Coordinates of all heavy atoms in Angstrom, one line a residue:
F1146 N 114.4 91.5 18.3 CA 115.5 91.8 17.4 C 115.5 93.4 17.2 O 114.5 94.1 17.3 CB 115.3 91.2 16.0 CG 115.5 89.7 16.0 CD1 115.6 89.0 17.2 CD2 115.6 89.0 14.8 CE1 115.8 87.5 17.2 CE2 115.8 87.6 14.7 CZ 115.9 86.9 15.9
I1147 N 116.6 93.9 17.0 CA 116.9 95.3 16.7 C 117.7 95.4 15.4 O 118.8 95.0 15.4 CB 117.5 96.1 17.9 CG1 116.7 95.9 19.1 CG2 117.7 97.5 17.5 CD1 117.4 96.5 20.4
I1148 N 117.2 96.1 14.3 CA 118.0 96.4 13.2 C 118.5 97.8 13.3 O 117.8 98.7 13.8 CB 117.1 96.2 11.9 CG1 117.9 96.3 10.6 CG2 115.8 97.2 11.9 CD1 117.1 96.0 9.4
S1149 N 119.7 98.1 12.8 CA 120.2 99.4 12.8 C 121.3 99.4 11.7 O 121.6 98.5 11.0 CB 121.0 99.6 14.1 OG 122.1 98.7 14.4
R1150 N 121.7 100.7 11.4 CA 122.7 100.8 10.3 C 123.6 102.0 10.7 O 123.2 102.9 11.4 CB 122.0 101.1 9.0 CG 121.2 102.4 8.9 CD 120.3 102.4 7.6 NE 121.2 102.3 6.4 CZ 120.6 102.2 5.1 NH1 119.3 102.0 5.0 NH2 121.4 102.1 4.1
D1151 N 124.8 101.9 10.2 CA 125.8 103.0 10.3 C 126.2 103.3 8.9 O 127.1 102.6 8.3 CB 127.0 102.5 11.1 CG 127.9 103.7 11.4 OD1 128.0 104.7 10.7 OD2 128.7 103.5 12.4
N1152 N 125.6 104.4 8.3 CA 125.9 104.7 7.0 C 127.4 105.1 6.7 O 127.9 105.0 5.6 CB 125.0 105.7 6.4 CG 123.6 105.2 6.2 OD1 123.4 103.9 6.0 ND2 122.6 106.0 6.1
A1153 N 128.0 105.8 7.8 CA 129.3 106.1 7.7 C 130.3 105.0 7.5 O 131.3 105.1 6.8 CB 129.8 107.0 8.9
K1154 N 129.9 103.8 8.0 CA 130.7 102.6 7.8 C 130.1 101.6 6.8 O 130.7 100.6 6.5 CB 130.7 101.9 9.2 CG 131.4 102.6 10.3 CD 131.4 101.7 11.6 CE 132.1 102.5 12.7 NZ 132.1 101.7 14.0
N1155 N 129.0 102.1 6.2 CA 128.4 101.3 5.1 C 128.1 100.0 5.6 O 128.3 98.9 4.9 CB 129.3 101.3 3.9 CG 128.5 101.3 2.6 OD1 127.3 101.7 2.5 ND2 129.2 100.9 1.5
T1156 N 127.4 99.9 6.8 CA 127.3 98.6 7.5 C 125.9 98.6 8.1 O 125.4 99.6 8.7 CB 128.4 98.3 8.6 OG1 129.6 98.3 7.9 CG2 128.2 97.0 9.2
M1157 N 125.2 97.4 8.1 CA 124.0 97.2 8.8 C 124.1 96.1 9.8 O 125.0 95.2 9.6 CB 122.9 96.9 7.8 CG 121.5 96.6 8.3 SD 120.2 96.2 7.1 CE 120.9 94.6 6.5
Y1158 N 123.2 96.2 10.9 CA 123.4 95.2 11.9 C 122.0 94.6 12.3 O 121.0 95.2 12.0 CB 123.9 95.9 13.2 CG 125.3 96.6 12.9 CD1 125.2 98.0 12.7 CD2 126.4 95.9 13.0 CE1 126.4 98.7 12.5 CE2 127.7 96.6 12.8 CZ 127.6 98.0 12.5 OH 128.8 98.7 12.3
L1159 N 122.1 93.4 12.9 CA 120.9 92.9 13.5 C 121.2 92.3 14.8 O 121.9 91.3 14.9 CB 120.3 91.8 12.6 CG 119.0 91.1 13.1 CD1 117.8 92.1 13.0 CD2 118.6 89.9 12.2
Q1160 N 120.7 93.0 15.9 CA 120.9 92.5 17.2 C 119.8 91.6 17.5 O 118.6 92.0 17.5 CB 120.9 93.6 18.2 CG 121.0 93.2 19.6 CD 122.4 92.6 20.0 OE1 123.4 93.1 19.7 NE2 122.3 91.4 20.6
M1161 N 120.2 90.3 17.9 CA 119.1 89.3 18.1 C 119.1 88.9 19.6 O 120.2 88.5 20.1 CB 119.4 88.0 17.3 CG 119.5 88.3 15.7 SD 119.7 86.8 14.8 CE 121.3 86.4 15.2
N1162 N 118.1 89.1 20.2 CA 117.9 88.8 21.7 C 116.8 87.8 21.9 O 116.0 87.6 21.1 CB 117.6 90.1 22.5 CG 118.6 91.2 22.3 OD1 119.8 91.0 22.4 ND2 118.2 92.4 22.0
S1163 N 116.9 87.2 23.1 CA 115.9 86.2 23.5 C 115.7 85.2 22.3 O 114.5 84.8 22.0 CB 114.6 86.9 23.8 OG 114.8 87.8 24.9
L1164 N 116.7 84.6 21.8 CA 116.7 83.7 20.7 C 115.9 82.4 21.0 O 116.0 81.9 22.1 CB 118.1 83.4 20.2 CG 118.7 84.5 19.4 CD1 120.2 84.3 19.3 CD2 118.1 84.6 18.0
K1165 N 115.1 82.0 20.0 CA 114.3 80.8 20.1 C 114.8 79.8 19.1 O 115.5 80.1 18.1 CB 112.9 81.1 19.8 CG 112.3 82.2 20.7 CD 110.9 82.5 20.3 CE 110.2 83.5 21.2 NZ 108.9 83.9 20.8
L1166 N 114.5 78.5 19.3 CA 114.9 77.5 18.4 C 114.4 77.7 17.0 O 115.1 77.5 16.0 CB 114.3 76.1 18.8 CG 114.9 75.6 20.2 CD1 114.2 74.2 20.5 CD2 116.4 75.4 20.1
E1167 N 113.2 78.4 16.8 CA 112.7 78.6 15.5 C 113.3 79.8 14.8 O 113.1 80.0 13.7 CB 111.2 78.9 15.6 CG 110.8 80.0 16.6 CD 110.4 79.3 18.0 OE1 111.0 78.4 18.4 OE2 109.4 79.9 18.5
D1168 N 114.4 80.4 15.5 CA 115.1 81.4 14.8 C 116.3 80.9 14.0 O 116.9 81.6 13.3 CB 115.7 82.4 15.8 CG 114.6 83.3 16.5 OD1 113.6 83.7 15.8 OD2 114.7 83.5 17.7
T1169 N 116.5 79.6 14.1 CA 117.6 78.9 13.4 C 117.3 79.0 11.9 O 116.3 78.6 11.4 CB 117.7 77.4 13.8 OG1 118.1 77.4 15.2 CG2 118.7 76.7 12.9
A1170 N 118.3 79.6 11.2 CA 118.2 79.9 9.7 C 119.4 80.4 9.3 O 120.3 80.8 10.0 CB 117.0 80.8 9.5
V1171 N 119.5 80.5 7.9 CA 120.5 81.3 7.2 C 120.0 82.7 7.2 O 118.9 83.0 6.6 CB 120.9 80.7 5.9 CG1 121.9 81.7 5.2 CG2 121.5 79.3 6.0
Y1172 N 120.8 83.7 7.6 CA 120.3 85.1 7.6 C 120.9 85.8 6.5 O 122.2 85.8 6.4 CB 120.6 85.8 9.0 CG 119.6 85.4 10.0 CD1 119.6 84.1 10.6 CD2 118.7 86.2 10.5 CE1 118.7 83.7 11.6 CE2 117.7 85.8 11.4 CZ 117.7 84.6 11.9 OH 116.8 84.2 13.0
Y1173 N 120.2 86.6 5.7 CA 120.6 87.3 4.6 C 120.4 88.7 4.7 O 119.3 89.2 5.2 CB 120.0 86.9 3.3 CG 120.1 85.4 2.9 CD1 119.3 84.4 3.4 CD2 121.2 85.0 2.1 CE1 119.5 83.1 3.1 CE2 121.3 83.6 1.8 CZ 120.4 82.7 2.3 OH 120.6 81.4 1.9
C1174 N 121.3 89.6 4.4 CA 121.0 91.1 4.3 C 120.8 91.4 2.9 O 121.2 90.7 1.9 CB 122.2 91.9 4.9 SG 123.7 91.7 4.0
A1175 N 120.0 92.4 2.6 CA 119.5 92.9 1.3 C 119.3 94.4 1.3 O 119.1 95.0 2.3 CB 118.2 92.1 0.9
A1176 N 119.5 94.9 0.0 CA 119.3 96.3 -0.1 C 118.4 96.7 -1.3 O 118.5 96.0 -2.3 CB 120.7 97.0 -0.3
S1177 N 117.6 97.7 -1.1 CA 116.7 98.1 -2.2 C 116.9 99.5 -2.5 O 117.1 100.3 -1.6 CB 115.2 97.9 -1.7 OG 114.4 98.5 -2.7
P1178 N 116.9 99.9 -3.8 CA 117.1 101.3 -4.2 C 115.9 102.2 -3.9 O 115.9 103.4 -4.1 CB 117.4 101.3 -5.7 CG 116.7 100.0 -6.1 CD 116.8 99.1 -5.0
T1179 N 114.8 101.7 -3.5 CA 113.5 102.4 -3.3 C 113.4 102.6 -1.8 O 114.0 101.9 -1.0 CB 112.3 101.6 -3.7 OG1 112.3 100.3 -3.2 CG2 112.4 101.4 -5.3
D1180 N 112.6 103.7 -1.5 CA 112.4 104.1 -0.1 C 111.1 103.3 0.4 O 110.0 103.7 0.2 CB 112.2 105.6 0.0 CG 112.1 106.1 1.4 OD1 112.3 105.3 2.4 OD2 111.9 107.3 1.6

């Protein structure tokens, strides 16, 4: 998997490759005000 973000678009991405059966799930994005 590769996570990325485009702050100009205020958007985050998750590129998922070589997916496995165990990757089946509900995927959630989240944000934290801390570094």
Side-chain angles (χ1 to χ4, degrees):
F1146 290 10
I1147 302 171
I1148 187 172
S1149 62
R1150 66 192 296 170
D1151 186 341
N1152 286 339
K1154 296 181 179 179
N1155 217 15
T1156 303
M1157 180 179 63
Y1158 307 94
L1159 183 68
Q1160 176 66 51
M1161 304 183 294
N1162 302 311
S1163 301
L1164 283 162
K1165 304 175 180 180
L1166 293 177
E1167 53 263 42
D1168 293 321
T1169 295
V1171 177
Y1172 283 73
Y1173 300 89
C1174 63
S1177 172
T1179 56
D1180 189 6

